[in-house]
């Protein structure tokens, strides 16, 4: 079976972030299971991430957990056996709950998919956070309240579900409390230890600012690329005042393990002056600010450079011609002198 489609669905389940630049470490697992017309839930994939880097993958056709990050190959064979057993249990549980929900919501026909995300986060200030949430068709369905250890419905249709899962027969949140509060953090620290060289590196971003006008609408683009770790804060400002971003901010991976993001603001065509893009990232000692400059200003700069280059070229050519002319003149004078001297000597 092909799982490219399922992998694309994984980010659809929203991962809540605290505002500002993320600083710390996380261990998160994303699961997606899909059904196709005429079949029950059947295709399942689970992907593990440490600090946004994919480390492991499990799929229902292979039915084994395999390493993705090269440094995960350092783990002992016993690890892969026990974690494969855990993934198979997760697959069975997700299929069970997914079938119940899709049947109850009368969504058993056609293409459907169910998503589940769980894990933990340790921040540099010592604070922690745990995640456990469920989604249907790319929309959040319920989420964990880690203060009371119950599941909170996020849609009207989810109330019946959370009542069942919080009830004495299921107690789903409580059954996962030990893993989320303890084991998840212990596993995270172990992964960070063996993947330290890769995970703790810092690669500063490159920033490019440009503008675009289409159908009378002017947009300022701030392209930030080639940075690691993943989390970054990018904002447009005008004379020190925040400017709302016109498009959603999506951080995308690059093939070399770094990331990129483009943040766009819509402005009046005559109001572009004074705008600047501000970038905060763990690799930077201070906020990186790149000002927008009009294309005409840039063109003027290049024109000046071109003129100066032309003047220098003309001067260089003139110098070469002068040297050649001087050389010919000196050569002619030397030849005449030599010829005169030669005749005198002969006559003598």
């Amino acid at each position: 079976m092909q799982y490219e489609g399922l992998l694309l669905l994984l980010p659809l389940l929203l991962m809540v972030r605290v505002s500002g630049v993320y600083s710390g470490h996380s261990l998160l697992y994303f699961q997606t299971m899909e059904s196709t017309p005429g079949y029950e839930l059947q295709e399942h994939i689970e992907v593990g991430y440490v600090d946004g880097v994919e480390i492991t993958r499990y799929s229902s056709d292979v039915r084994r957990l395999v390493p993705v990050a090269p440094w995960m190959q350092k783990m002992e064979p016993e690890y892969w056996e026990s974690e494969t057993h855990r993934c198979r249990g997760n697959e069975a549980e997700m299929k069970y709950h997914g079938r119940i929900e899709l049947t109850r919501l009368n969504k058993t026909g056609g293409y459907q998919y169910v998503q589940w995300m769980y894990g933990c986060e340790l921040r540099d200030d010592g604070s922690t956070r745990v995640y456990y949430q469920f989604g249907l068709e790319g929309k959040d369905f319920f989420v964990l309240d880690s203060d009371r250890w119950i599941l909170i419905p996020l849609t009207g249709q989810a109330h019946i579900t959370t009542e069942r899962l919080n009830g004495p027969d299921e107690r789903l949140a409580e059954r996962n409390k030990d893993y989320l509060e303890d084991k998840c953090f212990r596993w995270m620290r172990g992964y960070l230890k063996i993947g330290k060289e890769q995970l703790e590196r810092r690669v500063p971003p490159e920033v490019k600012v440009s503008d675009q006008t289409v159908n009378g609408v002017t947009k300022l683009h701030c392209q930030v690329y080639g940075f690691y770790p993943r989390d970054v804060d990018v904002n447009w400002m005008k004379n020190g005042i925040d400017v709302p971003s016109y498009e959603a901010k999506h951080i995308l991976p690059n093939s070399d393990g770094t990331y990129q993001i483009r943040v766009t603001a819509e402005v009046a065509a005559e109001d572009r002056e004074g705008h600047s893009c501000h970038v905060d990232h763990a690799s930077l000692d201070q906020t990186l600010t790149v000002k927008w400059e009009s294309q005409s200003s840039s063109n003027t700069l290049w024109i000046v450079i071109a003129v100066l280059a032309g003047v220098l070229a003309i001067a260089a050519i003139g110098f070469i011609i002068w040297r050649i002319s001087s050389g010919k003149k000196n050569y002619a004078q030397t030849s005449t002198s030599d010829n005169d001297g030669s005749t005198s000597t002969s006559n003598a």
Side-chain angles (χ1 to χ4, degrees), residues 85-138:
H85 180 74
R86 177 188 61 80
C87 289
R88 290 175 180 174
N90 286 345
E91 179 183 1
E93 184 170 8
M94 191 172 183
K95 181 178 290 187
Y96 168 74
H97 290 297
R99 185 183 294 113
I100 290 176
E101 295 312 311
L102 292 178
T103 300
R104 185 177 67 81
L105 298 173
N106 195 27
K107 293 180 177 290
T108 54
Y111 176 80
Q112 308 291 340
Y113 55 91
V114 181
Q115 296 171 290
W116 179 20
M117 185 271 278
Y118 64 96
C120 54
E121 182 178 278
L122 174 64
R123 304 184 71 81
D124 282 348
D125 61 5
S127 62
T128 61
R129 185 170 186 176
V130 298
Y131 297 92
Y132 192 94
Q133 58 194 79
F134 192 82
L136 287 176
E137 299 179 318

Side-chain angles (χ1 to χ4, degrees), residues 125-183:
D125 61 5
S127 62
T128 61
R129 185 170 186 176
V130 298
Y131 297 92
Y132 192 94
Q133 58 194 79
F134 192 82
L136 287 176
E137 299 179 318
K139 298 179 180 179
D140 288 335
F141 198 62
F142 64 71
V143 67
L144 172 69
D145 179 347
S146 58
D147 293 327
R148 297 181 292 166
W149 284 95
I150 61 173
L151 302 174
I152 304 298
L154 299 178
T155 69
Q157 295 176 323
H159 282 278
I160 296 176
T161 302
T162 54
E163 288 180 4
R164 176 176 63 85
L165 296 178
N166 289 330
D169 294 335
E170 293 285 353
R171 296 184 300 105
L172 188 59
E174 292 182 29
R175 285 194 287 114
N176 287 277
K177 183 177 181 179
D178 179 60
Y179 173 82
L180 293 173
E181 284 193 327
D182 180 41
K183 293 180 181 178

Side-chain angles (χ1 to χ4, degrees), residues 6 73 80 136 169 184 200 276 314 340:
L6 287 180
Q73 297 178 10
W80 300 107
L136 287 176
D169 294 335
C184 183
E200 295 190 359
S276 57
I314 293 172
D340 292 342

